[in-house]
Amino acid sequence: MINITKFKWNIHQYVNLGKEIYIAPVFGCRSCGYIGRLHRHGYYSRNVITLHSSHRIHVLRLKCPRLGCFKTYSMLPSFLIPYYQYSFDFIFTCLYFLFFLNTSYSKFVSLLKQLDPNSIVTTSHFNHFKRRFKKELPFLNYFFAQFPDMYYQMDQVNLVSILKKLTFFRSKYLDFNQIYFEKMPRYFFAKN
């Protein structure tokens, strides 16, 4: 199971920690209802691609100690989206430039190549982000309806209006990815 967790470190600080990731104790298993402390259960590695570079990080795993359950939880940092190598900020920046600022795909690829000459991003990545974001629009609209200061223009469910709300939300609440995970029955950019 995935838990999106807010850590006090940014990506670069998190990378420098290696396997020395310390978190407050986590209590309770969502699978079996166990209310005690979950135990550390190792790490796994994954790639993270940002606007400027690529990194390999370690993700802490926890395990339910209850006999018969033994469910494991990945403590995914909130700067990541589950099952994506690209950081949340990378994807948000792509969407913002392409659809809010109306930058062409090829121009944005050139800009990314200037930031990171080793970048492997192509226009097909942007098409994928756009398709996934379009599928996410109704969920995002529902999510924003839960915040009184965001409950406006609910009939406008298009890329630009939702990006405006997302931009406003990030400026006010900072950690969209974790809050979305906590309030919705899915994670951001989920496949279905």
Side-chain angles (χ1 to χ4, degrees), residues 95 99 129-145 153-166 176 180 184 186 188-190:
L95 293 169
F99 306 112
F129 296 159
K130 181 180 180 179
R131 277 193 315 275
R132 193 57 70 88
F133 192 65
K134 278 186 171 182
K135 284 183 180 179
E136 198 73 22
L137 290 178
F139 298 104
L140 285 164
N141 208 35
Y142 173 76
F143 170 76
F144 290 132
Q153 299 175 341
M154 296 308 293
D155 57 334
Q156 290 186 6
V157 186
N158 60 49
L159 288 168
V160 175
S161 68
I162 296 294
L163 274 172
K164 282 180 185 178
K165 289 179 183 181
L166 187 53
F176 166 80
Y180 188 84
M184 298 295 287
R186 59 190 275 125
F188 182 67
F189 261 37

Side-chain angles (χ1 to χ4, degrees), residues 88 136-152 154 157 162 165-170 173-188:
F88 175 81
E136 198 73 22
L137 290 178
F139 298 104
L140 285 164
N141 208 35
Y142 173 76
F143 170 76
F144 290 132
Q146 298 176 51
F147 297 87
D149 53 343
M150 302 288 296
Y151 191 83
Y152 60 91
M154 296 308 293
V157 186
I162 296 294
K165 289 179 183 181
L166 187 53
T167 304
F168 173 76
F169 188 91
R170 291 188 62 196
Y173 298 99
L174 299 178
D175 209 336
F176 166 80
N177 201 21
Q178 181 196 14
I179 297 169
Y180 188 84
F181 179 75
E182 290 171 355
K183 292 197 173 280
M184 298 295 287
R186 59 190 275 125
Y187 55 85
F188 182 67

Side-chain angles (χ1 to χ4, degrees), residues 112-127:
L112 290 175
K113 293 277 187 195
Q114 288 174 2
L115 292 173
D116 179 12
N118 298 322
S119 176
I120 57 168
V121 178
T122 65
T123 57
S124 63
H125 289 97
F126 304 142
N127 284 323

Side-chain angles (χ1 to χ4, degrees), residues 5 33 39 56 59 105 117 156 176 181:
T5 308
H39 295 185
R56 189 125 177 106
V59 176
Y105 286 12
Q156 290 186 6
F176 166 80
F181 179 75

